[in-house]
Amino acid sequence: MEKLLDLITAEVTKAFVSAGYEEKYGKTVLSNRPDLCEFQCNGAMAAAKAYKKAPFLIADAAAEQLAGNDMFSSAESVKPGFLNLKFSEKYLADYLNKMQGHETLGVGNPGQNRTVIVDYGGANVAKPLHVGHLRSAIIGESIRRMGLALGYRMIGDVHLGDWGLQMGLIIEELRDRRPDLVYFDEDFTGEYPAEAPFTISELEEIYPAASKKSKEDAAFKERAHRATLKLQEGYAPYRAVWNHIMQVSVTDLKKNYENLDVHFDLWKGESDADPYIPDLIRNLQDMGLAYESEGALVVDIAEETDSKELPPCIIRKSDGAALYATSDLGTILEREKDFSPTEYIYLADKRQQLHFTQVFRVAKKAGFVKPETKMIHIGFGTMNGKDGKPFKTRDGGVMRLEHLIADINDAVYSRIMENRAISEEEARQTAKTVGLAALKYGDLSNQASKDYVFDIDRFISFEGNTGPYILYTIVRIKSILKKYAETGRSAAGKQILPAQGTEEKDLMLEIAKWNSVMENAFEETAPHKICAYIYDLANAFNRFYHVTKILAEEDETAQAGYIRLLELTKSVLEAGIDVLGFSAPERM
């Protein structure tokens, strides 16, 4: 379906052309004075200079051409040269009826034949997920879902940190604790055990202990470096330990991501890029892009248009070790071979902006990706406590993600049980649904690049710009639809009718924006725009609800029209929360 604003602009453009002016002056936008009109065109102001004519005369001519147009209830020229437009109630109702019958509620398919990789900047294995992993998971999942809704082939990759020094640290700490294990017996020639010699709880204790030891014991740190190198060179006993670490960690990570309703198409990691790195380095050298600098191998990425000096990208350190940039470039080569994506989207802390600028420029400069391939880094801010500092536990530690989810679920449960309208079991299940909405909406409603304050009391409120408020609105609509069905009446086959009042028309205009909002939000990789839209839509519905007697309406045709409008409102709200990554319960 064409977007409403595009249809309006097309009609206004025709009017300008018919009046003798260039079509470029017909661009129409939402009114910035909704008290005066719903849409406005300011083209006459720009045309005045070109045509050496008073702008109000140009606007008068366009308005005259629009007189009697079925799309508008009024098209008025206002000095000094604005064209103020009010939409036809009948045309708007017809548009919504088409939208209701459309498979995707009017949302188009701009992503057809386009593949997008979403790199979630993954967690490190052997470590529990903590609040620092929340934003990449939530924002990445929403962007993946938006793309799918718009017809893109979206490929989400967790992209685990599974190949660095932490592996050598774990191996050497395990050696110190369990020297009897076969992995440390150089004479062992049999098959290595299928079962890991540690649980996830033990593994999560081993890594921080090893990390602490490496800061205090230089010899231990050197052992860990050697173990990491041997692992990366393919030493079988260490590869066996690594496989255990991966198996135990990934099983636990999948459980925790599932609790967030976050899903990945690929469970790749830095290790998967390793086979590509030797050829990658050789190709950069053969192309004359990589050169030695103070013992390291680097690629210049500076461009004439840069407003500040950018350092070269280090491809290989002076000790021969590869870096994150090398790994990311290797991963790009793998993804080009496997998927040939038209776009890359990376989720990572905004402090990593330089890293991604370097990687993207090397990839383009070396021809690893096509010149037209879009490469985007969504640099997000931090989630802070009420003190304005990065969110911590009460004792100052980093909070595990599962504990944060449990806390917000418990808070929602307590709020629900204040009313005791449902059973304890249902309240627990509902609390999980509402808690996830509170958590995700609380994050996504902020612009990704901004820091925000995690305020559990505000996030779980059923009033204001919160996830629970959106869910409460959906549940309210479900309740009305259920009560209507219980009367024995049916709105099946009926139509949404032209609006009779201001609140009804405002609601209908808000619904009609959905396809435009979806495309714009994905184009700008901005889930907060979806949040802002469904909040406005929920508000528009609640204003309509408070002035309209829906179930008490005696005219059955009018009532059926209201019901159809409610059904469409619910469908759009549910589509909105689905791309944000949560759902609504049946009741609250």
Side-chain angles (χ1 to χ4, degrees):
M1 273 181 73
E2 282 194 75
K3 297 188 282 292
L4 191 64
L5 208 49
D6 289 347
L7 292 169
I8 295 170
T9 292
E11 288 301 306
V12 176
T13 297
K14 281 184 202 170
F16 270 84
V17 172
S18 297
Y21 303 102
E22 286 186 73
E23 61 182 29
K24 67 181 180 180
Y25 298 115
K27 182 176 173 59
T28 305
V29 296
L30 285 170
S31 172
N32 58 15
R33 286 291 305 276
D35 54 320
L36 299 178
C37 60
E38 294 152 358
F39 303 92
Q40 67 186 64
C41 173
N42 304 330
M45 304 293 285
K49 185 176 181 180
Y51 289 90
K52 297 181 173 54
K53 190 181 286 189
F56 76 87
L57 293 176
I58 299 172
D60 284 350
E64 189 176 331
Q65 293 294 326
L66 290 170
N69 190 305
D70 291 343
M71 185 178 280
F72 306 104
S73 60
S74 74
E76 183 183 6
S77 171
V78 179
K79 288 185 177 179
F82 300 114
L83 188 60
N84 288 357
L85 305 164
K86 288 189 178 179
F87 210 60
S88 158
E89 286 79 3
K90 182 181 184 307
Y91 195 102
L92 181 58
D94 289 345
Y95 186 85
L96 261 60
N97 282 312
K98 288 175 187 172
M99 189 175 165
Q100 192 154 43
H102 195 268
E103 186 180 359
T104 58
L105 300 173
V107 173
N109 189 29
Q112 190 172 16
N113 301 321
R114 294 178 66 82
T115 298
V116 180
I117 297 281
V118 182
D119 185 315
Y120 288 66
N124 287 318
V125 299
K127 297 183 187 177
L129 286 179
H130 56 75
V131 293
H133 299 113
L134 183 68
R135 299 211 73 188
S136 62
I138 287 178
I139 298 168
E141 180 68 10
S142 179
I143 287 167
R144 186 184 72 85
R145 290 179 180 226
M146 280 195 283
L148 287 171
L150 290 164
Y152 291 82
R153 181 192 181 199
M154 302 297 292
I155 300 172
D157 183 2
V158 63
H159 205 63
L160 298 166
D162 66 352
W163 205 233
L165 179 61
Q166 80 263 33
M167 293 303 169
L169 290 169
I170 291 168
I171 289 168
E172 288 306 310
E173 178 66 14
L174 192 62
R175 180 197 300 276
D176 287 352
R177 296 183 181 204
R178 300 280 304 279
D180 57 310
L181 291 174
V182 294
Y183 315 98
F184 308 120
D185 180 356
E186 294 183 2
D187 296 326
F188 183 77
T189 57
E191 286 193 14
Y192 294 104
E195 192 170 328
F198 40 70
T199 64
I200 185 62
S201 298
E202 290 167 338
L203 185 59
E204 289 173 357
E205 187 273 323
I206 287 171
Y207 175 70
S211 180
K212 183 173 183 291
K213 187 187 292 185
S214 71
K215 294 180 176 71
E216 301 165 351
D217 184 342
F220 177 79
K221 186 174 184 178
E222 178 57 32
R223 281 166 49 199
H225 274 292
R226 288 199 302 270
T228 303
L229 184 61
K230 289 183 76 171
L231 167 69
Q232 294 175 354
E233 289 173 344
Y235 183 54
Y238 292 177
R239 282 292 176 102
V241 176
W242 179 82
N243 284 328
H244 290 316
I245 295 170
M246 292 298 295
Q247 179 189 352
V248 170
S249 289
V250 170
T251 299
D252 187 65
L253 286 169
K254 285 183 175 180
K255 179 190 73 177
N256 280 283
Y257 279 121
E258 184 66 35
N259 288 338
L260 272 179
D261 202 4
V262 168
H263 308 279
F264 305 104
D265 304 287
L266 303 174
W267 282 82
K268 296 276 190 174
E270 293 166 0
S271 59
D272 293 288
D274 196 58
Y276 294 84
I277 288 175
D279 284 345
L280 158 72
I281 292 174
R282 189 159 44 250
N283 288 340
L284 288 172
Q285 290 175 313
D286 291 346
M287 285 185 275
L289 294 176
Y291 65 93
E292 292 270 344
S293 175
E294 297 180 16
L297 194 66
V298 304
V299 175
D300 286 330
I301 56 105
E303 296 176 357
E304 288 183 4
T305 54
D306 292 335
S307 58
K308 61 181 180 181
E309 188 175 343
L310 295 178
C313 179
I314 302 174
I315 302 298
R316 188 178 62 202
K317 288 167 59 177
S318 56
D319 64 1
L323 293 93
Y324 285 124
T326 329
S327 172
D328 280 341
L329 287 165
T331 300
I332 287 171
L333 290 176
E334 180 186 26
R335 289 167 175 167
E336 286 293 316
K337 179 176 72 73
D338 292 345
F339 306 109
S340 190
T342 50
E343 185 172 342
Y344 289 85
I345 299 174
Y346 289 79
L347 281 299
D349 187 301
K350 62 186 178 184
R351 290 170 294 186
Q352 295 193 42
Q353 180 182 354
L354 174 60
H355 165 79
F356 286 103
T357 298
Q358 292 176 321
V359 168
F360 296 166
R361 288 192 180 182
V362 173
K364 288 286 180 81
K365 205 170 180 179
F368 296 160
V369 299
K370 299 181 185 72
E372 66 272 19
T373 300
K374 287 179 69 176
M375 305 190 84
I376 299 167
H377 165 225
I378 300 176
F380 50 81
T382 56
M383 184 179 89
N384 296 327
K386 291 181 182 179
D387 59 359
K389 297 176 182 177
F391 192 83
K392 301 282 186 182
T393 58
R394 286 178 184 172
D395 61 4
V398 177
M399 178 172 274
R400 291 177 67 141
L401 197 50
E402 60 186 301
H403 295 161
L404 182 73
I405 294 170
D407 284 353
I408 205 164
N409 288 350
D410 287 344
V412 173
Y413 172 75
S414 297
R415 186 69 57 89
I416 291 172
M417 291 304 286
E418 288 172 7
N419 301 323
R420 286 296 300 195
I422 57 180
S423 69
E424 187 173 331
E425 182 181 353
E426 186 180 351
R428 283 287 179 198
Q429 192 56 45
T430 301
K432 284 185 180 180
T433 303
V434 178
L436 189 62
L439 184 64
K440 287 192 169 185
Y441 191 92
D443 186 300
L444 294 171
S445 57
N446 299 279
Q447 191 172 338
S449 61
K450 303 280 181 65
D451 298 347
Y452 74 92
V453 173
F454 180 83
D455 184 343
I456 196 167
D457 293 326
R458 181 171 64 84
F459 284 7
I460 68 170
S461 174
F462 283 50
E463 298 175 352
N465 189 11
T466 69
Y469 169 71
I470 305 298
L471 298 193
Y472 188 75
T473 301
I474 296 171
V475 168
R476 170 177 273 170
I477 296 172
K478 287 182 177 181
S479 175
I480 297 168
L481 295 177
K482 183 180 178 185
K483 288 175 182 174
Y484 175 75
E486 287 170 353
T487 66
R489 295 177 180 178
S490 171
K494 304 295 185 182
Q495 297 281 299
I496 294 170
L497 302 177
Q500 298 301 307
T502 301
E503 290 81 7
E504 186 175 8
K505 189 177 185 184
D506 286 347
L507 172 59
M508 293 169 76
L509 284 167
E510 204 63 51
I511 292 170
K513 296 176 187 175
W514 171 235
N515 50 11
S516 179
V517 168
M518 268 291 293
E519 286 194 28
N520 179 253
F522 183 73
E523 179 65 25
E524 297 186 16
T525 54
H528 71 278
K529 293 197 169 186
I530 301 289
C531 294
Y533 170 75
I534 61 174
Y535 178 58
D536 287 345
L537 179 56
N539 283 336
F541 166 75
N542 284 312
R543 286 193 294 270
F544 166 70
Y545 168 77
H546 285 302
V547 300
T548 309
K549 295 178 180 177
I550 299 169
L551 293 175
E553 174 60 58
E554 294 181 358
D555 183 325
E556 289 193 19
T557 301
Q559 186 182 53
Y562 289 152
I563 292 300
R564 294 294 282 164
L565 180 59
L566 262 64
E567 289 172 346
L568 182 56
T569 304
K570 180 176 80 73
S571 294
V572 172
L573 284 171
E574 287 178 331
I577 65 173
D578 182 65
V579 297
L580 294 176
F582 55 90
S583 58
E586 288 305 307
R587 55 181 184 164
M588 288 167 66

